Amino acid sequence: MCMHDEAAVHYIDMIDQTTLGHRFIKQEFGQTPRIGWQIDPFGHSAVNAYLLSAEVGFDALYFARIDYQDREKRKDLKSLEVVWQGSKTLGSSADIFTGIFPKNYEPPPGDFYFEVNDVSPVIQDDVLLFDYNVEERVNDFVAAAIAQANVTRTNHIMFTMGTDFKYQYATSWFRQLDKFIHYVNKDGRVNALYSTPSIYTDAKYAANESWPLKTDDFFPYADNPNAYWTGYFTSRPALKGYVRTMSAYYLAARQLEFLKGRDSSGPTTDSLADALALVQHHDAVTGTEKQHVANDYAKRLSIGYAEAEKLVESSLACLTSSDSKSGSCNPKTEFEQCPLLNISYCPPSELDLSTGKSLVVLVYNSLGWKREDVIRIPVVSESVVVHDSEGRETESQLLPLANTSVNIRNQYVKAYLGISPRVTPKFWLAFPVSVPPLGFNTYFVSNAKQTVAAMSSLYSSQGSKNSSVEVGQGHLKLLYNLDEGRLSHYFNSRNLVKANIEQSYSFYAGYDKIVSDLPASGAYIFRPNGSFPLKPEGQVPLTILQGPILDEVHQRINPWIYQVTRVYKGKEHTEVEFTVGPIPVNDGMGKEVTTQITTTMMTNKTFLTDSNGRDFIKRIRDYRSDWELQVNQPVAGNYYPINLGIYMEDNSMELSVLVDRSVGGSSILDGQIELMLHRRLIHDDGRGVDEALNETVCVNDKCEGLTVQGKFYLRVDPLGQGAKWRRSFGQEIYSPLLLAFSEQDGGNWTSSHVPKFSALDSSYSLPDNVALITLQALEDGSVLLRLAHLYEVGEDKDLSTMAYVELKKMFPDKKVSKITEMNLSANQERAIMEKKRLKWKAEGSIGSGTMVRGSPVDPSKLVVELGPMEIRTFLINFDDTFVPKMV
């Protein structure tokens, strides 16, 4: 649907938006695209090369933007056109011919711009006029062609004749191009023709050349020594968070739409699909648009969500209805959801239970595995008790709502909804839930005669005689130094991992000068002018809440940064929730706020970051594998995009940090990981937005800088054992449990509703190394299914192996009448795509190595095999006449 970004996007969103566009083109025009045209994104990802190019069936990928140093070297070596092998796991089976433009995506140097008001000389071919210039203009054209031919292999070169906002009066261009083609061909030194990227690709292929091999990716991108485009990895963090939340919601909503049965007359997920596809654009989720445009993207997401929310509520009402088994659905139950739960606003859970009503909490799990987790909802009273769907009392814990949370809640509910909340909840109620795969479970919160939920005990370091305190009720313990009010040690009693860990905050001052090659920090560019630590002013005590389910450490870092660190009894990672903002700029200085996790690990300049949430790529500080790097920006030039996580290793352990949205990050010092969480700048960087990145939120005409709240997650593992957490828990971060609320006034919910449900066979769940990334009922009655292997070759000793998914157990109540394997974007059969895709020769290719792919699916056995990193896409038709055996 758009030319998606490649840094700040998640691979599932890339697949969804590409599928939407490709299927539209197929339906409307009967065409199957074969060229990737990513000419403008600011750096290019490995996942875009092998997944969104090779695996959709493209024969070539073209773009313009690569690092200025990289481009100069490639011009010298004639290696602007390469075979790109983006996946070390899939090897040459997923490589793609890639063409990089010699300068940009504009006409070649030499004055070839022909908009009505452009100044390039037009061809004057009337010999009677004094400005006759055919020979001169032909010479210009031929000179440009020869210059480009000198940096390009084979006899074919591409001129991109146009740029942004051109062809508003196309005749003025085509009149000139017609003349150029005519007179240049008459001259005979070069042959000029109107062409397409497809025709160009076929000419390159016919030359039977071997091309240089490229691996890894093209990040970060700089267009001059002081202009690294690494700020946009974090720009507009609230929009980035909203996109990620909506992405997960869209995935779950499509599952529920399938389970209920798609009904085009009722609400659908289509509006959310359109909005999500659009916001993957390289000037959308990137945060590199004007404020009113960012508002429009968010508005479209909100409109799409509102329709999907209705669909989710009616689907859950149907699935919980006791007559749902009979195939009819006329639900009477009304469910509500809480899209502002992250700012502790959830009207359904803020119910007064003293009247005898119960709050029904339905918890839906969109993952293919059973899931044990802890959920938190705001409540107004401490007299509460939680029961599960079988009537058993469930352990629960109350945590008082912090003043910071109440203030954000009041301000942002007013800003977003235009109302002030009626009541203010006093507590978070936390309790563990267990939810079957692709299914739901129900919990009940009711009034207790006396407090049954455990009240968190409060430990304040103020006046404490101890110099340290230990936090954590389970295997994981964090030790805090009370004298300095900071984290000092991490210890896991199960695997005996011990680490010295500190966490701190700082900000980079945004450079504010724009002279020829010295841009300011802005929406695109990160150009720091010094780093400044952020510390509590004076001795600010820690507030520690402890209880049977989790412990929380609350820290006021400074007047505009608040942090809560959580350690759950049943989990072996720590969760950090940060609240940053409003960032003050009244001192005339833009600020880019970062957090550092500092250890004593010896990491030798090396760390790993994910590519769009998929493969991990090794990064080495101040180093590029393709050329000798001249370091001009030692911080900005070492920043990389992070969508899933970043980790570093030494000879005994590995430390991983996972994120809840796209952010920029790095390891600027050995043993340290840095994430940029928020940025507020007061100058434009001169790259096209023409507006400073200065986000504000207004209530009653009073405006202040945007506050951003988000989370990251930290874990230390023995060396070689971190992948399982990064992959499994990474899925849980991407797909949080979906909560829906209802009320029960007397009576017995479980006698009139289905309290627990799984769409899978009761004894079945997906293998630990497989994710269900698409389950979608299409308009024509068929179903789109995508399964993804989560591990790379060699990533985990047990899980980087062939996986098997039994479709008969995935769809126990349905009979598959037809199954067709498709390419990734589902616009052609995979077998046809494989047959016609061009196979390019690469210099020094490592071949397919140990690459393993699953075999074709036997329609009688219906078992899908998945090799490491493989994603397989199927169109399935079910037999509507099939009647399942009633259990």
Side-chain angles (χ1 to χ4, degrees):
M1 291 304 274
C2 67
M3 190 187 293
H4 58 222
D5 182 51
E6 300 183 38
V9 287
H10 192 273
Y11 77 95
I12 294 179
D13 289 328
M14 296 165 91
I15 293 170
D16 283 341
Q17 86 85 12
T18 303
T19 301
L20 201 64
H22 282 192
R23 288 179 64 82
F24 174 81
I25 290 167
K26 188 72 176 249
Q27 285 157 7
E28 291 294 315
F29 307 111
Q31 295 295 315
T32 306
R34 52 183 287 246
I35 303 295
W37 193 248
Q38 287 288 107
I39 60 172
D40 198 22
F42 335 116
H44 302 277
S45 75
V47 157
N48 194 69
Y50 85 84
L51 207 54
L52 277 304
S53 301
E55 292 286 294
V56 300
F58 287 169
D59 284 321
L61 167 66
Y62 294 99
F63 51 74
R65 295 186 186 274
I66 62 165
D67 186 281
Y68 72 101
Q69 295 179 33
D70 192 8
R71 189 189 308 276
E72 288 313 306
K73 179 169 182 189
R74 289 182 180 281
K75 283 160 74 171
D76 287 346
L77 297 177
K78 288 195 175 184
S79 62
L80 284 165
E81 291 172 317
V82 298
V83 169
W84 187 359
Q85 221 163 83
S87 166
K88 56 181 182 282
T89 297
L90 297 178
S92 61
S93 76
D95 58 22
I96 183 85
F97 178 77
T98 303
I100 303 156
F101 303 157
K103 186 176 182 199
N104 50 31
Y105 53 71
E106 306 200 8
D111 259 345
F112 299 101
Y113 291 85
F114 302 112
E115 209 65 18
V116 171
N117 57 350
D118 278 333
V119 296
S120 297
V122 298
I123 290 182
Q124 176 53 268
D125 52 359
D126 185 338
V127 293
L128 299 176
L129 293 176
F130 69 89
D131 57 348
Y132 176 80
N133 64 357
V134 170
E135 194 177 330
E136 189 183 326
R137 292 269 58 200
V138 165
N139 286 342
D140 292 342
F141 191 97
V142 171
I146 290 169
Q148 189 163 326
N150 286 338
V151 298
T152 313
R153 301 187 188 197
T154 80
N155 289 331
H156 305 282
I157 60 170
M158 181 194 297
F159 279 179
T160 47
M161 297 304 285
T163 181
D164 302 14
F165 315 121
K166 301 301 180 183
Y167 289 81
Q168 294 183 44
Y169 180 59
T171 308
S172 68
W173 278 88
F174 286 115
R175 183 180 289 134
Q176 296 308 310
L177 296 182
D178 285 349
K179 288 184 176 185
F180 269 108
I181 289 170
H182 174 74
Y183 288 115
V184 165
N185 289 343
K186 209 169 165 185
D187 171 84
R189 283 175 287 171
V190 302
N191 180 49
L193 69 155
Y194 282 121
S195 186
T196 66
S198 218
I199 294 169
Y200 178 78
T201 300
D202 288 338
K204 286 287 184 180
Y205 185 72
N208 200 21
E209 180 89 12
S210 275
W211 302 94
L213 182 71
K214 163 71 185 167
T215 56
D216 297 338
D217 63 7
F218 289 93
F219 284 115
Y221 163 62
D223 61 2
N224 75 42
N226 294 297
Y228 276 89
W229 298 42
T230 52
Y232 82 95
F233 301 160
T234 297
S235 295
R236 300 195 190 278
L239 178 66
K240 285 177 163 69
Y242 192 33
V243 170
R244 183 63 57 85
T245 303
M246 290 297 99
S247 172
Y249 192 81
Y250 175 52
L251 184 145
R254 280 180 292 171
Q255 294 176 358
L256 290 165
E257 187 172 35
F258 162 75
L259 294 172
K260 171 180 174 262
R262 184 182 165 101
D263 174 11
S264 299
S265 64
T268 68
T269 55
D270 296 353
S271 171
L272 182 55
D274 287 344
L276 262 175
L278 203 61
V279 80
Q280 306 311 320
H281 185 274
H282 60 273
D283 277 318
V285 66
T286 50
T288 54
E289 65 280 81
K290 288 182 189 288
Q291 185 61 54
H292 73 275
V293 181
N295 294 346
D296 185 68
Y297 284 123
K299 183 178 182 178
R300 287 167 188 270
L301 285 171
S302 175
I303 291 166
Y305 170 80
E307 189 178 342
E309 185 182 49
K310 291 193 192 91
L311 166 82
V312 165
E313 284 161 8
S314 66
S315 300
L316 292 174
C318 270
L319 293 169
T320 56
S321 158
S322 44
D323 59 4
S324 63
K325 283 275 192 233
S326 64
S328 67
C329 177
N330 188 14
K332 301 172 185 57
T333 310
E334 288 194 1
F335 283 104
E336 278 185 82
Q337 292 164 81
C338 294
L340 297 183
L341 187 60
N342 67 318
I343 55 168
S344 44
Y345 179 68
C346 184
S349 76
E350 294 157 21
L351 190 64
D352 179 2
L353 302 173
S354 63
T355 58
K357 286 183 176 173
S358 302
L359 172 68
V360 180
V361 185
L362 185 143
V363 187
Y364 178 73
N365 171 21
S366 57
L367 298 180
W369 318 308
K370 181 181 177 188
R371 186 157 171 189
E372 315 280 341
D373 211 338
V374 173
I375 64 169
R376 296 146 46 88
I377 56 173
V379 293
V380 292
S381 162
E382 62 196 77
S383 303
V384 286
V385 61
V386 181
H387 290 92
D388 67 13
S389 54
E390 289 165 29
R392 293 182 298 240
E393 196 177 296
T394 297
E395 185 173 47
S396 58
Q397 180 180 340
L398 289 162
L399 300 112
L401 209 62
N403 286 342
T404 301
S405 302
V406 175
N407 295 341
I408 286 177
R409 176 182 195 270
N410 291 340
Q411 186 193 357
Y412 279 81
V413 169
K414 187 78 199 269
Y416 292 153
L417 304 181
I419 57 169
S420 294
R422 252 177 340 101
V423 294
T424 299
K426 294 190 177 69
F427 304 99
W428 283 106
L429 173 67
F431 56 94
V433 295
S434 175
V435 197
L438 213 64
F440 59 76
N441 204 348
T442 315
Y443 292 82
F444 305 92
V445 181
S446 52
N447 188 50
K449 299 293 177 274
Q450 68 276 357
T451 306
V452 176
M455 181 63 73
S456 303
S457 58
L458 179 65
Y459 179 102
S460 176
S461 58
Q462 202 156 16
S464 169
K465 301 276 190 291
N466 299 336
S467 61
S468 63
V469 63
E470 188 178 83
V471 174
Q473 308 290 318
H475 290 305
L476 177 60
K477 312 281 186 204
L478 299 181
L479 195 68
Y480 280 83
N481 178 322
L482 295 181
D483 296 335
E484 298 175 28
R486 62 171 177 81
L487 174 65
S488 63
H489 290 83
Y490 173 111
F491 175 61
N492 183 326
S493 60
R494 182 187 59 81
N495 57 20
L496 304 180
V497 164
K498 261 185 200 168
N500 297 335
I501 294 190
E502 289 181 30
Q503 188 221 345
S504 54
Y505 283 86
S506 61
F507 73 85
Y508 292 104
Y511 220 96
D512 64 0
K513 288 197 182 100
I514 300 191
V515 293
S516 57
D517 69 333
L518 301 177
S521 247
Y524 296 97
I525 289 172
F526 171 33
R527 182 159 181 248
N529 187 15
S531 174
F532 303 87
L534 290 165
K535 289 185 174 156
E537 289 150 16
Q539 189 65 35
V540 179
L542 301 176
T543 300
I544 299 171
L545 301 171
Q546 297 181 299
I549 295 168
L550 75 152
D551 288 0
E552 287 190 344
V553 180
H554 290 244
Q555 293 168 276
R556 163 66 65 197
I557 308 294
N558 74 0
W560 45 274
I561 300 179
Y562 191 81
Q563 175 173 297
V564 183
T565 305
R566 299 189 180 100
V567 182
Y568 294 87
K569 183 181 179 181
K571 296 184 187 286
E572 294 185 16
H573 64 262
T574 176
E575 170 186 308
V576 179
E577 182 176 84
F578 57 86
T579 304
V580 178
I583 298 173
V585 290
N586 46 5
D587 55 2
M589 185 193 294
K591 298 175 183 66
E592 319 196 41
V593 180
T594 58
T595 187
Q596 292 77 29
I597 291 131
T598 306
T599 70
T600 52
M601 292 169 68
M602 308 290 283
T603 54
N604 193 23
K605 295 186 172 183
T606 304
F607 56 106
L608 293 97
T609 63
D610 68 276
S611 178
N612 304 114
R614 201 95 181 107
D615 310 59
F616 277 92
I617 296 182
K618 183 193 266 192
R619 314 295 190 184
I620 300 171
R621 194 161 60 250
D622 295 338
Y623 173 81
R624 304 288 188 270
S625 57
D626 290 341
W627 78 95
E628 195 77 35
L629 178 70
Q630 296 295 123
V631 180
N632 298 295
Q633 288 288 324
V635 176
N638 285 303
Y639 254 63
Y640 290 89
I642 301 167
N643 280 282
L644 167 61
I646 175 172
Y647 71 98
M648 58 184 182
E649 306 170 328
D650 67 8
N651 56 11
S652 66
M653 62 176 124
E654 52 191 82
L655 181 145
S656 311
V657 179
L658 302 185
V659 297
D660 68 346
R661 70 198 68 194
S662 161
V663 298
S666 187
S667 174
I668 302 296
L669 300 172
D670 277 3
Q672 185 184 81
I673 280 174
E674 173 170 299
L675 300 177
M676 185 183 290
L677 305 177
H678 194 3
R679 49 203 314 256
R680 186 181 183 193
L681 299 161
I682 50 181
H683 297 280
D684 177 57
D685 55 18
R687 291 303 185 274
V689 185
D690 206 22
E691 188 178 279
L693 182 70
N694 182 5
E695 297 177 278
T696 56
V697 172
C698 303
V699 177
N700 297 337
D701 297 328
K702 179 178 177 287
C703 301
E704 60 177 39
L706 174 73
T707 295
V708 166
Q709 185 177 291
K711 292 177 181 170
F712 60 87
Y713 307 84
L714 171 85
R715 175 162 158 149
V716 186
D717 284 286
L719 183 64
Q721 293 178 32
K724 187 170 193 330
W725 179 70
R726 289 190 292 270
R727 295 300 185 184
S728 301
F729 187 66
Q731 286 299 115
E732 294 187 17
I733 297 170
Y734 175 76
S735 281
L737 291 166
L738 190 156
L739 306 184
F741 303 90
S742 190
E743 280 178 31
Q744 172 80 348
D745 200 350
N748 184 344
W749 176 274
T750 53
S751 64
S752 56
H753 295 82
V754 176
K756 193 173 180 182
F757 163 85
S758 172
L760 309 187
D761 189 286
S762 58
S763 62
Y764 190 66
S765 64
L766 291 186
D768 287 348
N769 48 6
V770 174
L772 169 64
I773 60 170
T774 313
L775 179 58
Q776 180 176 1
L778 301 174
E779 288 164 359
D780 62 5
S782 62
V783 172
L784 182 62
L785 171 73
R786 261 193 211 92
L787 297 162
H789 197 299
L790 293 171
Y791 289 78
E792 298 176 62
V793 158
E795 193 176 359
D796 184 276
K797 62 182 192 325
D798 302 316
L799 295 165
S800 293
T801 52
M802 185 69 83
Y804 304 89
V805 175
E806 299 178 51
L807 297 186
K808 287 179 182 175
K809 290 185 177 174
M810 259 194 88
F811 304 108
D813 297 339
K814 297 184 182 302
K815 185 175 183 210
V816 174
S817 59
K818 186 181 178 196
I819 179 165
T820 309
E821 181 159 12
M822 307 296 286
N823 70 326
L824 187 70
S825 57
N827 66 347
Q828 55 189 309
E829 290 187 25
R830 176 146 195 129
I832 293 170
M833 174 201 96
E834 294 278 17
K835 210 171 284 177
K836 66 182 187 188
R837 209 167 87 78
L838 302 181
K839 306 285 185 285
W840 299 80
K841 290 193 292 198
E843 297 168 352
S845 172
I846 49 176
S848 56
T850 54
M851 189 274 304
V852 190
R853 285 188 189 260
S855 315
V857 173
D858 179 332
S860 60
K861 292 185 182 148
L862 292 174
V863 174
V864 177
E865 300 174 357
L866 293 142
M869 276 289 117
E870 191 173 16
I871 297 179
R872 297 183 72 179
T873 304
F874 299 93
L875 280 181
I876 298 179
N877 292 85
F878 292 108
D879 182 350
D880 293 335
T881 61
F882 176 67
V883 180
K885 293 197 289 287
M886 298 303 283
V887 179

